[in-house]
């Protein structure tokens, strides 16, 4: 390995470290672990509805199903976990999923990391932020566009899909994605109770 390769390797590693930076929380903190589990649970719940609807009724039926169930699945994961749970994106389909300023900033950071050529499949970001008097633990993880996604989020949509989207989501911004693009992110938050250490 020559010197240039080593430099490239070091640069890549430091970018990955920057991306995984947990500003106030150690990598192994309970909150990070909980957020990771929640990502898996929430993602699996969404995917099972999507995949079974696609298999039984194709994209039009699946659109209807996601329209009815996505917000309900979000809500049930929030209730079960006690966290605030959502998905967001720089280009949202459902305006309920629009990012706040902090989420927009982190989404932009993920985009920058991707433009720099990083693989974001393991990326995540967490930070403790102050919301008034309250300390809040916040966590985000990118959601990458897969082959399955482009029938409803891609560039060449079937005209029936386009029609249905216009009816269900007249303000839809979530098309034009390619496989590998960042479709959005999971975003979770939880208020941190003040500890009684003296
Ligand atoms: C059958 C069509 C369909 C397919 C296929 C599909 N989605 Fe969606 N997607 C939707 C609909 C409808 C919504 C809006 C749900 C709602 O009302 O909250 C949505 C919303 C989202 C959101 C929330 C942010 C936003 O734009 O409102 C993300 C993130 C997302 N989809 C990612 C994906 C990914 C990743 C895949 C592939 C694994 C995928 N979708 C496949 C229809 C689809």
């Amino acid at each position: 390995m020559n010197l240039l390769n080593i430099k490239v390797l070091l640069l890549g590693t430091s970018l990955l470290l920057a991306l995984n930076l947990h500003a106030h929380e150690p990598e192994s903190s309970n909150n990070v672990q909980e957020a990771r589990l929640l990502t898996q649970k929430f993602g699996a719940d969404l995917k099972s509805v999507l995949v079974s609807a696609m298999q039984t009724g194709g994209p039009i039926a699946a659109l209807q199903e996601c329209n009815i169930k996505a917000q309900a699945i979000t809500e049930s994961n929030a209730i079960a976990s006690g966290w605030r749970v959502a998905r967001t994106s720089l280009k949202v389909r459902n305006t309920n999923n629009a990012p706040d300023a902090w989420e927009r900033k982190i989404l932009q950071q993920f985009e920058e990391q991707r433009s720099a050529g990083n693989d974001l499949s393991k990326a995540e970001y967490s930070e403790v932020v102050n919301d008034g008097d309250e300390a809040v633990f916040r966590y985000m993880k990118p959601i990458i566009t897969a082959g399955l996604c482009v029938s409803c989020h891609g560039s060449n949509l079937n005209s029936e899909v386009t029609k249905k989207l216009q009816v269900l989501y007249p303000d839809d911004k979530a098309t034009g994605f390619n496989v590998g693009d960042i479709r959005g992110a999971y975003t979770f938050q939880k208020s941190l109770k003040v500890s009684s250490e003296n």
Side-chain angles (χ1 to χ4, degrees), residues 17-192:
L17 284 175
L19 192 64
N20 275 310
L21 187 74
H22 302 292
H24 299 92
E25 290 276 316
E27 163 89 8
S28 58
S29 84
N30 286 341
N31 288 328
V32 172
Q33 303 293 349
E34 266 183 49
R36 286 178 185 158
L37 288 175
L38 188 50
T39 303
Q40 284 166 17
K41 166 76 170 55
F42 183 34
D45 287 356
L46 288 163
K47 200 158 187 179
S48 81
V49 166
L50 175 66
V51 170
S52 70
M54 288 286 272
Q55 278 166 357
T56 49
I60 303 297
L63 265 175
Q64 190 73 54
E65 199 70 357
C66 289
N67 174 247
I68 296 167
K69 297 211 174 131
Q71 297 290 319
I73 292 171
T74 307
E75 197 56 37
S76 66
N77 272 271
I79 291 167
S81 65
W83 288 61
R84 279 180 69 180
V85 172
R87 290 182 303 165
T88 190
S89 176
L90 292 171
K91 288 163 74 183
V92 290
R93 173 150 293 167
N94 186 328
T95 48
N96 278 350
N97 299 330
D100 66 16
W102 186 86
E103 288 165 332
R104 181 174 294 280
K105 184 182 76 183
I106 306 308
L107 284 165
Q108 281 161 350
Q109 283 176 20
F110 288 146
E111 288 292 350
E112 282 161 23
Q113 296 291 337
R114 180 170 142 72
S115 308
N118 289 296
D119 170 14
L120 294 198
S121 55
K122 299 235 162 30
E124 58 184 359
Y125 183 85
S126 63
E127 189 180 331
V128 176
V129 300
N130 290 318
D131 183 6
D133 290 344
E134 204 187 2
V136 179
F137 175 81
R138 303 196 69 168
Y139 174 93
M140 284 179 74
K141 178 166 182 62
I143 302 171
I144 308 298
T145 310
L148 167 70
C149 320
V150 293
S151 51
C152 297
H153 294 295
S155 308
N156 293 315
L157 299 184
N158 163 314
S159 61
E160 293 299 312
V161 169
T162 304
K163 258 192 247 161
K164 187 78 181 172
L165 281 171
Q166 277 163 359
V167 175
L168 294 175
Y169 302 96
D171 296 324
D172 185 25
K173 302 275 185 299
T175 57
F177 289 88
N178 295 311
V179 172
D181 286 349
I182 301 171
R183 177 53 270 273
Y186 296 107
T187 174
F188 307 140
Q189 52 182 305
K190 167 170 136 172
S191 169
L192 298 176

